[in-house]
């Protein structure tokens, strides 16, 4: 997987909540999401943690991360990110609810609230987060959107399957010998 950009600042137009400003600084270890229609969400990496370029926020170690929504603390449990798409899932707990962002393809991830799908987050590439596509019948609240955007920005969206990554490796090896 190629490294993510270390600094991203963008605004996406959310279909339900209007403009959402997203800032990710991998060197500083912070992902921030703000907007007039959502509470601010901040995910911060501990300063002494050596950043990994394969994760926008720089780590998947829950002990090195803090998440706040509207200034209130939220729980966070990122998966290890190994061989399956599900291993890249990130779980956040806020106000006695469980949010889960799970890769569902190479470039998009699904956000659920207590097991109910809310919507999908995509990336247009190069680590830049895209806007959400909310499920038509989902009753998405502002804090749901803030949590989804900050998780997608901090950890990225989508994940290759092991066979897809293996195909890239085999293709690279064959290119060397051709």
């Amino acid at each position: 997987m190629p490294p993510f950009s270390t600094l991203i600042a963008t605004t996406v137009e959310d279909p339900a909540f209007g403009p959402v400003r997203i800032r990710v600084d991998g060197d500083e270890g912070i992902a921030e999401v703000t907007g007039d229609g959502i509470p601010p969400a901040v995910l911060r990496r501990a300063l002494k943690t050596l950043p990994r370029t394969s994760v926008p926020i720089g780590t998947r170690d829950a002990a090195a991360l803090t998440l706040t929504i509207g200034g209130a603390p939220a729980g966070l449990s990122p998966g290890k990110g190994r061989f399956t798409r599900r291993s890249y899932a990130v779980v956040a707990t806020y106000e006695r609810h469980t949010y889960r962002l799970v890769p569902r393809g190479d470039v998009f991830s699904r956000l659920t609230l207590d097991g109910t799908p809310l919507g999908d987050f995509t990336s247009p590439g190069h680590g830049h987060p895209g806007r959400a596509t909310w499920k038509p019948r989902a009753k998405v609240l502002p804090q749901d959107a803030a949590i989804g955007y900050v998780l997608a920005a901090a950890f990225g969206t989508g994940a290759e399957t092991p066979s897809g990554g293996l195909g890239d490796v085999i293709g690279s090896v064959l290119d060397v010998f051709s």
Side-chain angles (χ1 to χ4, degrees), residues 1-66:
M1 175 179 283
F4 287 95
S5 300
T6 58
L7 180 61
I8 296 169
T10 190
T11 301
V12 297
E13 187 65 34
D14 184 89
F17 301 101
V20 175
R21 292 171 297 285
I22 301 167
R23 180 179 166 272
V24 181
D25 187 331
D27 292 336
E28 186 182 311
I30 189 165
E32 298 175 297
V33 174
T34 59
D36 294 339
I38 62 171
V42 179
L43 205 154
R44 189 177 305 272
R45 184 184 77 236
L47 291 177
K48 294 181 181 179
T49 306
L50 185 64
R52 289 176 34 197
T53 59
S54 60
V55 183
I57 194 70
T59 188
R60 297 185 73 81
D61 178 7
L65 296 166
T66 57

Side-chain angles (χ1 to χ4, degrees), residues 104-145:
R104 303 281 294 183
D106 289 349
V107 296
F108 81 96
S109 293
R110 173 143 314 139
L111 179 68
T112 62
L113 169 61
D114 298 328
T116 302
L118 294 179
D120 296 325
F121 287 82
T122 59
S123 171
H126 308 292
H128 289 270
R131 75 179 183 96
T133 303
W134 304 115
K135 298 291 179 189
R137 293 196 169 114
K139 295 180 180 168
V140 182
L141 299 175
Q143 66 263 22
D144 304 337

